[in-house]
Amino acid sequence: MKCFIGIDLGSTTTKAVVMDDGGKQLGRGITNSRSNYDTAAAVSKQEALIDARFTLFRRGLEGEAALAGRVDAFLAELERNFRHVQFLEQLDDLEATGVRHGAGLRFAGQEKPLRAALGEVFRQLRAESEGIFAPGAKRKSDFFRDIAGSRFMALGDAVCKEAGLSFDLLLNVYDKSIIEVENRPPAGAMEGKFLRALEKTLGATGQAAANGVAHRVQAALAIPLEEAYVVGTGYGRVRLPFPKEHIRSEILCHGLGAHIMYAGTRTVLDIGGQDTKAIQVDPDGIVENFQMNDRCAAGCGRYLGYIADEMQMGLHELGPMAMKSTRSLRINSTCTVFAGAELRDRLALGDKREDVLAGLHRAIILRAMSIISRSGGIRDQFTFTGGVAKNEAAVRELTKLVRENYGQVTININPDSIYTGALGGAEFARRAVQV
Amino acid sequence: MSKPESKAAGKSEVVKDLSMLKQKEMITRNYDALTSAPETGRKVAATFVPGNLNELIQVFGLLNNLPEINAIQNGMRKLSGDYILEAEKRGHSEDVCTYVKADLGSMAKGNLAPNGKPLPRPDVLLLSYTGCFTFMKWFELVRNEYKCPTVMLHVPYQGEGTTTRNMRDYIVKQLKQEVIPKLEQVSGVKFDIDRLRELMRESAKAEDDFVWVLETARHRPSPIDAYFGSVYYTGPIFTAFRGTPDASEYYRLLRAEIEERMAKGLGPITPEGDMKQQKYRLVVEGPPNWTSFREFWKMFYDEGAVVVASSYTKVGGLYDLGFRHDPDHPLESLADYAMGCYTNMNLPQRVGLLEKYMKEYEADGLLINSIKSCNSFSAGQLMMMREIEKRTGKPGAFIETDLVDPRYFSAANVKNRLESYFQMIDQKRRVASAA
Amino acid sequence: MCAAPVPAPSPTAPIVARCQELFDDLDFGAARRWKAAAPGRKVVAFMPVYAPRELVHAAGMLPLGIMGAGESLEVIHGDAYYQSYICRIPRSTLELGITGRLDFVDGFLFPSLCDVIRNLSGIWKLLFPKVYVRYLDVPQNFTPGMADEFWVHELQELREGLGKLAGVEITDDALRDSIAVYNENRRVVREVYAYRAAEPWQAPSSDVYLLMRAGLVLPVEEHTRLLRDWLAAARSEKRQRRDNTRIVLNGVFCEQPPLGLIKAIEMAGCYVVDDDFMLVNRLLIGDVPVEGDPLANLSTAYLTRSEETASKYQPDQAAKGQYIVDAVRRNGAEGVIFAAPSFCDPALLERPMLEERLDRVDVPYIGFKYAENSAQMQPVREQAGTFADSIKLWSTP
Amino acid sequence: MATLTAGIDVGTGCVKTVLFEHGGGAPRWLARSVDRIRQRDPYQLAADAYDAMLRQAGVARQDVAYVASTGDGENLTFTTGHFYSMTTHARGAIHLDGTTRGVLDIGALHGRAIRVDPRGKVQAYKMTSQCASGSGQFLENIARYLGIGQDEIGSLSQQGEAPEKVSSICAVLAETDVINMVSRGISAANILKGIHLSMAGRLASLLKGISVSEGTVLMTGGLALDTGLVAALRESLGGEKVRMEVKGHPDSIYAGAIGAALWGAFRHQKLAAQGRLAMAS
Ligand SMILES: Nc1ncnc2c1ncn2[C@@H]1O[C@H](COP(=O)(O)OP(=O)(O)O)[C@@H](O)[C@H]1O
Ligand SMILES: Nc1ncnc2c1ncn2[C@@H]1O[C@H](COP(=O)(O)OP(=O)(O)O)[C@@H](O)[C@H]1O
Ligand code: SF4
Ligand code: SF4
Ligand code: SF4
């Protein structure tokens, strides 16, 4: 089957979308952006293709009587198992890499205990991985680095204490290895992993039903996913190993992506990690005008990230905390760093955290309003995309300001809006072949 | 006529047309005359480009030294950056017009002409206060250095969108009662109105050919680039040569060359030879960037974008709207000329003019190159863009650079913007042709 | 200081509070009420630094000075019209217009202060076609006899335009009366400035600032009364005199710094003894003759007896910048603080020439930039404070 | 009779206090303290630190003739007077090194270059404001990312042999650059050196702005302790035609507080001479 792929290489995350030739989304994938753009692009693409397989499984299983009413649950289970298999594979890689690094010169004289400690940590990690991927378990993140990293720290610390080994050594080995593992292009064959996951999932099912299900899943697996056309976009697009005609401006992709999600979109605001863009599109999704901020963190996602660090909070906790505020304080500093200092001053002076936070959210949105305004203002419908669209307090401030200044326009916010650029890219890929 | 028939793209030496050689020779001669003024005893006037009184200056045998042109020369030769820093070191703000700073910085560093010899001290500053407030401060600052006589010619702005009898009388009065007597005094030459008429007759000749050349951009393909290429075409007529037989000769040659290009169906000449395909026809508002002029231009011809009309080529007069220097009414005609240049038009007039160009030259869009340090041009350009988009239905694009401050030319940003813009025009066309 | 007795309520406080209210009111309630008080009344706005308000007054209309929207207005639409490298005042002024805060304004005058204001006149024409918009090309040729005719003629056109707007004919007599009214106002304005220069501890600069701002929105007669009341009240109270340095503030003639900045300068140990805020209140020096041709008188007053400022050409090289030295001498100042709006060509290009003048006579100075919404006062306090410190510590006792 | 004066410098990063004794010869330094503010109330911290220092010196509050604040200390309630930071850093620098003609004060959020005359009078200055690129906080953030302690930065940076250019000018977005560098396998030493060089470039242009071209340029403020930055600054000034020497001083972080204490003594004397002592209390 012909696939059209859009890859959005962002400053923080890389996103990919796979589309079929009818313009239907088959799958989406995301990974953290890293210095090796090829890998980031390859990983996100692979993730999207994996996701596409699940779409095909679903299509295949729709008519399967044995799973009547249970398709969702079955697929969820299958996915969990698949992720687990994938996780274990990457763990193996990490361990092997670690062992190799542990034998390095830096650790002369310590190789043995280090190797033993590594072995122990990975044994424990494998053992508890079952739990991490158990049904209903909440994972910290979808990225291997985050999941493995946090558990490695916790387990490693204990193991080192036990063994009388400096944890810094182990940490150093980890730091070296994770970068290598992360930057290794993903292993090719997915089929084996699917089959292992399938086996495990079916283990819980009755034999007869299992045969039918396995048959259909295998049939879906056999459908070749042919990469008909790939389009790259985003902040890092020029460094993608693509020929020029496969690269599209991120602005155009965002515009078109937003148009696909909400056909009535005329104005798009995208607040990502390093930049904020306001885009005006025509009724066909073609960009008419746009504005972006320059290289200053004030007013984009990193602003919130910085503030979260400053307050020792998680990024996802900021919004909910700011929502509790009853009066928003005015933040005077433009600069992110000065805003951080102002925040400390204000807290020291007895202002409430939530009020200060609300002020900070207002500040970032005000800056976005100014960029929107420079791009030509807001027209109905207005679509808000990018990572910050996940932040409810930002959404609240934005909604308020839009209402006050532009009246009752429709405001679209989609939890998957982080894929907007990649979606636009995929559509461009499709059009490149079809038009 | 030598034709750049074989211009192996890129490195090989660019074949120069006769007109180019002619202009080069004129400029060299003029700089030599200027730098040798201390020896020859010739007197020197400094004045500004918009609405300049070159014919009058010549009546008195004065050499005309235009500080804006020197700033451009220094910008193109990549010297302006240092000069600007020098001026800032001497207390000038980062925020002000960089032409002024490039000039003052150059003065501080020996004020060398392109021929490597110092430019002479002016004997008189003719402050044609036309179309830009900063001119006044500029000459106050220069006067502070040279302590030389300064003549103010206040040219009223077309605030109400027209010139009036009162405005004209005011200028003529200043010419008669102040400018002419002062120039007589400085030069020791008696004013000779017939000489002035003679020069103006010569001007008008060149002006006819110049307009003819600019208007060839109506053709498809356009044989000229009405911005980058035409910057050279404006040279003689906007500066120290208008009214000289040299200038007439230059435009005669130029016209013949363009006629030939048209006959052969050729596009404009670029630093890398003839421009091939013309995918986009643009109208450009605002001066170009000089420090990266070539790089900037390349971003256009590489993408197949040709400029068919521009406002910058009208700062030295709107000859295409019919104005000619009129030997029968010399002083009145000087007044009309000074009042009529582009920067002296009010915003609604500027919008009207660009709209006219968009339509008459069948442009695909309007591009504004907004100059960070030039309030005269830049304040209001966003509004102009909106207004043109509204009136013509064609998309506008806005880029921000500077005249001669290399710090403000971000090639990556400009390129990103232009690429998005061209892709956008493409998209629009596709949809239009599909419909 | 030892435990001070509870301070008696300051008699100037209510007057200043009223001015503060006018200052804070971005809907221009006072002007709106004036307009609504009688049918057919009209309001004509103007930008800094000089407008012949007498003509507006003589037509029975209210001249309303617009100085941007200050720090409290969140600019949402203004950025659609101005790039980041253009000063703030045109964008906040547009914000006032677009948000309907100036919808009661019938005419708008844009004097030739700089290219930004000049181009704003064009924007206004396009955006608000119903408003009578006029660009005032105030003459820059000060050679005697050169610009009179032109300017009288321009004033005549303005007079006709305003007359049409007001639906009255602006007679010479009406103009003469208006000139007299403004003469009186100018006298009191100068008295306030002189009073502050003599006893700056009695007249906090932020108070004087607010008093002068009030003159932009109140009918002139009322403003004159207000200033008189304030002078009487100020003279009746005794304020603590502090060990402050006396400075002249220059460069603040157009976009306004936030009030907090003026306070910060004073808090950091500086008494402002002269400034160039709201020049329109006192640009013309001395009385404009009431007898004779009023337009000619106004023209002559501007061309021959008006304050110098960055936006006016100085034809005499030797005299260029002398005004800042004069201001220092006249007011017994010890230094100059140059404060200019970011991206303000007139103020920033003028500054080096003024600095050179001050260098020649050994008057110390410092300079910084601000925007009407500047938030951080710390750098201002730091610089003004260090400046005051160094003058204080190094002056011979 | 010996006179005691104290200086309290309330910064955005740290609170510094010093106590001096005057009378006969050079002022003598009796006690000092420096405390990171972190998330605390700086005024309370200043009061506590001041009292702790007095206790350490065995002195009571009323024994101190003049308590001068500087930095953000204008609103402290127990002080005699306030001097602004540039005044005090200039004076403090002259005290620490008499040959000082230029001061580079780099604190948590700001950077300033000050030209001083031999008496400690501020003659010219340039400062960064509004944007925190190249400040102490910026460096601190990076170090935190790299997991490097404040005191290790200097020596580590000096080991950098192939400094990596930092392209982002933004203190916050530079972190992204740094993350990229780490993952490209660039050593912490080279990253730090690169940052130091980019900071030094900015500081050098501040220095140029005040046209100091000879004599000692003393670094004051917390970052003077960062030997890597000092080295980088020397390096980036190396190409200039200047005859100045950039130095740090072990007590540089106290420069503001020292200057305040010394100016306090000067003021005290002057007021005493004018019989206006009561006015200042
Ligand atoms: N769960 C979340 N809650 C709040 N904000 C988030 C969340 N996830 C991401 N963000 C914000 O989104 C930004 C990243 O957005 P993204 O669109 O992925 O950027 P880019 O395309 O530049 O990589 C982060 O800096 C962060 O501020
Ligand atoms: N030993 C050290 N090495 C490097 N930097 C230091 C050291 N000690 C303190 N700093 C830095 O100095 C800064 C505080 O400097 P300081 O001059 O006290 O600033 P402020 O006056 O703004 O509080 C902090 O950002 C801290 O990172
Ligand atoms: S402001 Fe613009 S028009 Fe005026 S001198 Fe500078 S560049 Fe020329
Ligand atoms: S602040 Fe300066 S540049 Fe801006 S409008 Fe006023 S005078 Fe012009
Ligand atoms: S102002 Fe702050 S956020 Fe913006 S570039 Fe500077 S350091 Fe970064």
Side-chain angles (χ1 to χ4, degrees), chain C residues 211-232:
Chain C
L211 288 168
M212 294 301 154
R213 271 299 283 262
L216 299 186
V217 298
L218 290 178
V220 56
E221 299 83 354
E222 204 179 331
H223 184 235
T224 304
R225 271 198 305 278
L226 180 120
L227 294 183
R228 289 236 162 83
D229 292 349
W230 180 84
L231 272 169

Side-chain angles (χ1 to χ4, degrees), chain A residues 10-13 15 271-274 301-302 304 315-316 386-388 390-391 418:
Chain A
S11 60
T12 348
T13 57
K15 287 84 46 176
I271 309 187
Q274 283 214 4
R302 268 306 291 148
L304 290 176
L315 195 53
H316 55 279
V388 175
K390 286 192 188 170
N391 180 312
I418 200 161

Side-chain angles (χ1 to χ4, degrees), chain B residues 222-238:
Chain B
S222 167
I224 62 163
D225 183 286
Y227 186 56
F228 296 104
S230 297
V231 154
Y232 296 100
Y233 307 158
T234 61
I237 215 160
F238 282 6

Side-chain angles (χ1 to χ4, degrees), chain A residues 8-15 30-31 33 234-235 250 254 270-275 277 300-306 314-320 361 364 385-392 417-419:
Chain A
D8 175 7
L9 215 152
S11 60
T12 348
T13 57
T14 301
K15 287 84 46 176
I30 185 165
T31 184
S33 297
Y235 156 91
E250 68 207 280
H254 264 91
D270 175 81
I271 309 187
Q274 283 214 4
D275 53 34
K277 344 181 217 295
C300 47
R302 268 306 291 148
Y303 180 83
L304 290 176
Y306 184 89
L315 195 53
H316 55 279
E317 294 169 305
L318 285 183
H361 279 85
I364 187 176
T385 70
V388 175
K390 286 192 188 170
N391 180 312
E392 49 192 309
S417 66
I418 200 161
Y419 294 101

Side-chain angles (χ1 to χ4, degrees), chain C residues 189-219:
Chain C
V189 165
R190 285 187 186 275
E191 197 177 334
V192 170
Y193 269 89
Y195 176 67
R196 180 181 66 170
E199 299 172 54
W201 56 93
Q202 286 289 89
S205 286
S206 53
D207 288 8
V208 172
Y209 177 82
L210 290 169
L211 288 168
M212 294 301 154
R213 271 299 283 262
L216 299 186
V217 298
L218 290 178

